[in-house]
């Protein structure tokens, strides 16, 4: 086994470049499936939310064999919010396949994942994907990638990257645009040529392995996943674990598993170079180094970029609290967040102090990062009150000035809508970096405060009639840009408890956009719609038509209502203001005011006004 060549690769790219599709093809041609086996598309995206959203959220491992060589493959997320998943696995691989769309070229997240790979000294393999597109410009894209390598200070060796062209969905890779191919053989051969044999002598060194990912098994407990950098691991072996805090402890490995196809297979021994899953070490954590007790040499800690956004996860205090959820107390929420911290390294949790409602401040890498956690919790039976997302400001250590997180945004819209979008981005303190047009669609690049984009996506979709594309990625910190206008419209707030009636909703339609339909249970303080003006409006959506001596309640024509706006979780989180919450339950999403009665809201508005004076 020590003579068997093992190569570890990661597939990295911007979202929608075709990573998961390429991994499907590698697995298929690497013999991971039976000939007659029915396989789902994007087989590595096994999480329910991944399949529903059509994105990769978690880094995952699999393995294939090609010409007697074992190739461990790591599929990584492409969305900027999950970049912490990419950061921590880079040290476990020998090379990365950088996948770039033949039409779009390098996108913001491409820069981030490539930068991490180059920092660790990896020599990437470039694959231009989707060369069958009508608007492909593969040769230009290669030049753009070369420029990106130069901008990121790649070494001369890294600049000499091999380039392939392919169609991942058809399982094809070729050496040039002119040559033809029927499979991924050119990619397999390039991987083997690019990566030399893992040094045999390292297998004879004292054991050293670093944990890069965690998993959980209901039978054997917490699992640590990582690469063996030196030595061997044996089942039953006693090891020293060095934590990120430098504290040593002793443990015993009860089980070792390696990857074959999509499955983990138990082995009694594993060798340097392989990616393994180990069990039996209580409290194992990401970044821990597993060492030989006689030769303790901790590896460099895995550093993850700091969170940029926070939300408050509060105990649900609405009148409907506990009706559908199983887990409603602060203790339930705390235990669930503590479990999440064990596997989600991009997350931080702080207890709320001086708060009227029990809860926790949860810090993450963006709205999507946190909303995926919220959605997971509601599906598990949790009830929560979620506050408006807030960006995390920093202090400049030299000047003491406030710094705020910025984002690089690429907008691709039909030309007739470009003026509206540019105007709105300018109002939000954005700075245009580049603009290009082909006469039909305009491509605009902006540097803009992250907080300016909270609530902008739905507005962007409406303004572009669903034809616009917006891509975002983190772009460092810059001095505070000043106040930015928040939501322009007020809301309609229920002033009664009960079921909504079509008669009342029909009258309210004239005042704005409804968020609820007929026969919906509402309570005082619940938001039932958007007001057409900038002030909040208290309404009664439960009012029925009164009977009179001359007319019955059924004599008028039936009320015909416009379909109400049913918000998704992300839309609701973007929509709310500082004095509002999203009530999340396993069945329903509701918008509500933090303070339910008119008197309470008036009092807190006065208090806030006095505090700002």
């Amino acid at each position: 086994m020590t003579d068997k060549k093992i190569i570890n690769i990661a597939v990295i790219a911007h979202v929608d470049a075709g990573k998961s599709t390429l991994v499907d093809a590698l697995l298929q041609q690497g013999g991971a499936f039976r000939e007659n086996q029915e396989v789902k598309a994007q087989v590595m995206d096994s999480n329910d939310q991944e399949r529903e959203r059509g994105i990769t959220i978690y880094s995952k491992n699999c393995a294939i064999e090609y010409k007697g060589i074992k190739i461990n493959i790591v599929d990584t997320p492409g969305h900027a919010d999950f970049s912490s998943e990419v950061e921590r696995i880079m040290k476990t691989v020998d090379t990365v396949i950088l996948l770039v769309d033949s039409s779009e070229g390098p996108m913001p997240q491409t820069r981030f994942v490539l930068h991490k790979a180059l920092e660790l000294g990896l020599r990437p393999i470039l694959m231009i994907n989707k060369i069958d597109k009508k608007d492909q410009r593969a040769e230009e894209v290669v030049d753009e990638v070369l420029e990106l390598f130069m901008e990121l200070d790649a070494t001369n060796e890294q600049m000499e990257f091999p380039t392939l062209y392919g169609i991942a969905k058809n399982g094809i890779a070729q050496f040039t645009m002119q040559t033809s191919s029927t499979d991924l053989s050119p990619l397999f051969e390039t991987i083997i040529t690019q990566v030399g044999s893992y040094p045999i002598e390292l297998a004879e060194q004292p054991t050293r392995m670093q944990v890069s990912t965690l998993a959980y098994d209901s039978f054997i407990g917490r699992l640590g996943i990582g690469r063996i950098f030196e030595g061997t691991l044996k089942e039953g072996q006693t090891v020293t674990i060095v934590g990120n805090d430098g504290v040593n402890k002793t443990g015993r490995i009860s089980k070792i598993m390696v990857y074959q196809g999509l499955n983990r297979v138990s082995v009694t021994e594993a060798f340097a170079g392989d990616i393994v899953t180990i069990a039996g070490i209580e409290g194992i954590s990401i970044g821990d180094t597993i060492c030989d007790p006689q030769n303790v040499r901790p590896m460099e800690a895995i550093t993850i970029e700091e969170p940029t956004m926070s939300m408050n996860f509060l105990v649900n205090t609405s009148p409907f609290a506990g009706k559908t959820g199983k887990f409603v107390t602060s203790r339930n929420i705390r235990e669930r967040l503590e479990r999440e911290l064990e596997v989600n390294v991009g997350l931080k949790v702080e207890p709320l102090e001086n708060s009227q409602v029990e809860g926790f401040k949860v810090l993450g890498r963006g709205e999507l990062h946190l909303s995926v956690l919220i959605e997971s919790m509601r599906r598990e039976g949790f009830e929560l009150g979620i506050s408006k997302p807030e960006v995390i400001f920093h202090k400049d250590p030299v000047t003491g000035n406030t710094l705020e997180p910025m984002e690089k945004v690429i907008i691709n819209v039909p030309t007739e809508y470009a003026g509206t979008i540019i105007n709105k981005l300018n109002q939000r303190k954005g700075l245009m970096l580049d603009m290009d047009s082909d006469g039909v669609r305009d491509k605009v690049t902006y540097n803009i405060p992250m907080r300016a984009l909270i609530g902008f996506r739905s507005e962007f979709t409406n303004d572009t009639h669903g034809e616009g594309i917006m891509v975002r990625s983190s772009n460092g910190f810059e001095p505070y840009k000043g106040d930015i206008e928040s939501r322009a419209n007020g809301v309609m707030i229920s002033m009664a408890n009960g079921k909504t009636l079509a008669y009342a909703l029909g009258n309210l339609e004239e005042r704005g956009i409804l968020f609820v339909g007929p026969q919906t249970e509402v309570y005082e303080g619940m938001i039932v719609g958007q007001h057409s003006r900038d002030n909040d409006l208290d309404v009664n959506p439960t009012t029925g038509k009164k009977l009179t001596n001359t007319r019955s309640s059924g004599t008028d024509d039936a009320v015909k209502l416009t379909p109400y706006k049913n918000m998704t979780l992300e839309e609701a989180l973007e929509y709310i203001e500082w004095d509002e919450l999203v009530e999340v339950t396993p069945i329903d999403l509701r918008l509500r005011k933090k303070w339910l009665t008119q008197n309470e809201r008036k009092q807190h508005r006065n208090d806030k006004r006095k505090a700002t004076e």
Side-chain angles (χ1 to χ4, degrees):
M1 282 293 294
T2 55
D3 295 329
K4 185 169 184 176
K5 187 173 181 180
I6 297 171
I7 297 175
N8 300 332
I9 65 170
V11 185
I12 61 174
H14 187 82
V15 66
D16 285 337
K19 296 179 306 302
S20 297
T21 305
L22 178 62
V23 173
D24 283 354
L26 289 168
L27 286 166
Q28 191 75 49
Q29 296 182 32
F33 308 121
R34 302 186 309 273
E35 287 187 15
N36 62 343
Q37 185 174 346
E38 186 176 334
V39 181
K40 293 180 180 178
Q42 286 82 49
V43 67
M44 293 288 281
D45 290 343
S46 53
N47 179 273
D48 287 344
Q49 287 196 64
E50 289 181 318
R51 303 203 72 84
E52 290 168 16
R53 296 171 185 264
I55 60 173
T56 302
I57 296 174
Y58 306 104
S59 293
K60 289 175 286 292
N61 299 69
C62 59
I64 55 175
E65 282 213 10
Y66 181 79
K67 294 185 177 180
I69 299 170
K70 181 179 181 181
I71 302 177
N72 285 311
I73 304 170
V74 185
D75 185 21
T76 64
H79 201 286
D81 283 24
F82 308 110
S83 51
S84 60
E85 294 282 325
V86 182
E87 290 176 75
R88 67 175 187 238
I89 59 88
M90 284 294 186
K91 288 173 72 173
T92 69
V93 299
D94 301 299
T95 189
V96 293
I97 300 172
L98 177 66
L99 212 59
V100 180
D101 188 291
S102 67
S103 171
E104 293 178 347
M107 299 294 277
Q109 186 66 1
T110 313
R111 169 184 286 270
F112 177 85
V113 293
L114 178 60
H115 180 54
K116 293 298 177 185
L118 296 176
E119 274 186 334
L120 292 170
L122 298 177
R123 294 174 56 218
I125 298 168
L126 173 64
M127 180 167 169
I128 307 298
N129 192 25
K130 305 181 184 180
I131 59 172
D132 56 335
K133 277 186 169 183
K134 290 182 180 179
D135 59 346
Q136 68 84 14
R137 49 186 191 90
E139 302 298 341
E140 291 178 42
V141 168
V142 173
D143 292 338
E144 290 175 7
V145 174
L146 185 60
E147 289 175 11
L148 182 58
F149 270 71
M150 289 189 284
E151 288 176 24
L152 296 175
D153 297 324
T155 64
N156 291 335
E157 188 179 34
Q158 289 171 330
M159 293 282 286
E160 296 175 1
F161 52 85
T163 302
L164 297 165
Y165 305 84
I167 309 170
K169 67 179 180 181
N170 295 340
I172 293 172
Q174 53 200 52
F175 289 110
T176 68
M177 287 292 290
Q178 289 71 41
T179 56
S180 60
S181 173
T182 58
D183 57 21
L184 292 175
S185 298
L187 178 58
F188 283 118
E189 296 298 333
T190 302
I191 292 170
I192 294 170
T193 304
Q194 182 83 339
V195 182
S197 299
Y198 199 79
I200 297 296
E201 60 272 15
L202 291 181
E204 300 166 1
Q205 298 294 320
T207 302
R208 250 200 333 173
M209 166 192 167
Q210 188 168 41
V211 178
S212 59
T213 311
L214 298 176
Y216 186 81
D217 185 284
S218 55
F219 294 102
I220 54 179
R222 200 192 299 192
L223 308 173
I225 304 169
R227 181 177 197 170
I228 305 174
F229 288 90
E230 297 175 8
T232 61
L233 277 181
K234 297 180 180 178
E235 195 175 286
Q237 180 177 345
T238 299
V239 293
T240 295
I241 304 99
V242 184
N244 280 328
D245 55 3
V247 177
N248 295 4
K249 63 180 179 180
T250 302
R252 181 177 171 275
I253 296 172
S254 62
K255 193 168 188 177
I256 301 172
M257 292 169 280
V258 297
Y259 288 91
Q260 285 185 10
L262 296 172
N263 304 315
R264 293 192 189 112
V265 179
S266 294
V267 294
T268 57
E269 191 174 14
F271 303 90
D274 210 350
I275 294 176
V276 300
T277 302
I278 58 173
I281 299 175
E282 187 177 346
I284 194 168
S285 184
I286 289 170
D288 287 358
T289 306
I290 312 298
C291 302
D292 186 317
Q294 306 303 318
N295 197 316
V296 179
R297 294 171 298 141
M299 298 188 68
E300 185 180 345
I302 295 176
T303 57
I304 303 296
E305 289 192 3
E306 289 295 308
T308 55
M309 183 170 285
S310 70
M311 298 179 192
N312 292 339
F313 285 36
L314 307 171
V315 172
N316 185 16
T317 57
S318 91
F320 295 166
K323 284 192 173 183
T324 58
K326 294 187 295 183
F327 308 109
V328 296
T329 66
S330 61
R331 179 179 61 84
N332 295 144
I333 298 170
R334 183 181 66 251
E335 290 173 352
R336 176 62 179 82
L337 292 175
E338 286 173 350
R339 290 203 307 274
E340 187 68 21
L341 286 171
E342 293 178 355
V343 295
N344 194 338
V345 294
L347 203 72
K348 289 186 178 180
V349 177
E350 300 172 357
L352 281 178
E353 298 177 359
N354 304 320
S355 174
Q356 295 178 331
V357 181
E358 292 181 284
F360 303 88
K361 184 176 184 179
V362 182
L363 301 84
R365 296 291 284 268
E367 292 162 87
L368 186 58
H369 184 206
L370 294 172
S371 68
V372 165
L373 170 59
I374 296 167
E375 182 63 32
S376 297
M377 291 178 69
R378 73 177 288 214
R379 293 183 186 199
E380 294 166 15
F382 282 83
E383 286 193 9
L384 300 162
I386 307 293
S387 72
K388 177 181 174 66
E390 297 178 352
V391 300
I392 300 170
F393 297 101
H394 288 194
K395 286 286 185 185
D396 189 314
V398 178
T399 64
N401 295 333
T402 300
L403 303 177
E404 65 174 316
M406 304 294 290
E407 292 207 341
K408 186 177 182 181
V409 182
I410 296 178
I411 304 287
N412 192 310
V413 296
T415 300
E416 61 263 35
Y417 307 134
T420 302
I421 299 303
I422 289 171
N423 184 46
K424 291 194 172 182
L425 291 175
N426 289 339
Q427 290 175 354
R428 286 169 164 77
K429 311 290 186 183
L431 175 66
M432 185 187 292
L433 303 177
D434 187 39
M435 182 172 181
D436 190 26
S437 177
D438 60 7
V440 179
R441 295 182 72 90
D442 289 357
K443 182 180 178 182
V444 188
T445 305
Y446 263 84
N447 185 40
I448 190 167
M450 176 185 278
R451 61 192 167 97
L453 295 174
I454 297 174
F456 180 63
R457 185 171 290 278
S458 56
E459 200 173 325
F460 173 78
T461 303
N462 291 335
D463 289 340
T464 61
H465 296 241
E467 296 183 52
I469 299 169
M470 179 167 65
V471 179
R472 302 164 49 177
S473 72
S474 178
N475 200 28
F477 286 78
E478 291 185 10
Y480 182 70
K481 304 298 181 184
D483 293 338
I484 296 173
E485 287 186 13
S486 57
R487 189 179 68 204
N489 297 84
V491 292
M492 293 188 280
I493 309 161
S494 174
M495 54 194 293
N497 301 322
K499 281 189 176 181
T500 57
L501 297 176
Y503 176 77
L505 296 180
N507 293 326
L508 294 179
E509 275 192 341
E510 301 171 6
R511 303 290 189 93
I513 301 169
L514 294 175
F515 298 158
V516 295
Q519 298 299 303
T520 301
E521 289 279 358
V522 297
Y523 53 80
E524 182 181 7
M526 180 173 159
I527 296 171
V528 296
Q530 176 177 285
H531 192 200
S532 56
R533 300 186 180 181
D534 61 1
N535 63 302
D536 291 347
L537 183 68
D538 292 291
V539 299
N540 187 350
T542 66
T543 304
K545 186 168 59 176
K546 304 300 182 185
L547 297 174
T548 68
N549 289 332
T550 59
R551 186 174 67 179
S552 72
S553 61
T555 55
D556 288 344
D557 292 336
V559 177
K560 293 181 181 179
L561 296 174
T562 304
Y564 64 94
K565 184 174 182 178
N566 191 13
M567 289 193 183
T568 64
L569 175 60
E570 283 81 12
E571 288 172 339
L573 292 171
E574 286 187 340
Y575 184 81
I576 58 174
E577 281 296 339
W578 69 272
D579 62 339
E580 297 165 0
L581 298 173
V582 179
E583 182 186 348
V584 177
T585 75
I587 296 176
D588 299 301
L589 290 174
R590 304 183 187 95
L591 273 62
R592 53 161 285 191
K593 287 291 184 179
K594 282 183 182 178
W595 300 283
L596 298 180
T597 67
Q598 294 182 47
N599 288 338
E600 286 177 325
R601 291 196 294 275
K602 185 177 180 181
Q603 179 63 46
H604 281 89
R605 276 197 300 270
N606 291 337
D607 291 345
K608 186 178 182 184
R609 186 162 53 247
K610 290 176 183 177
T612 56
E613 288 175 353

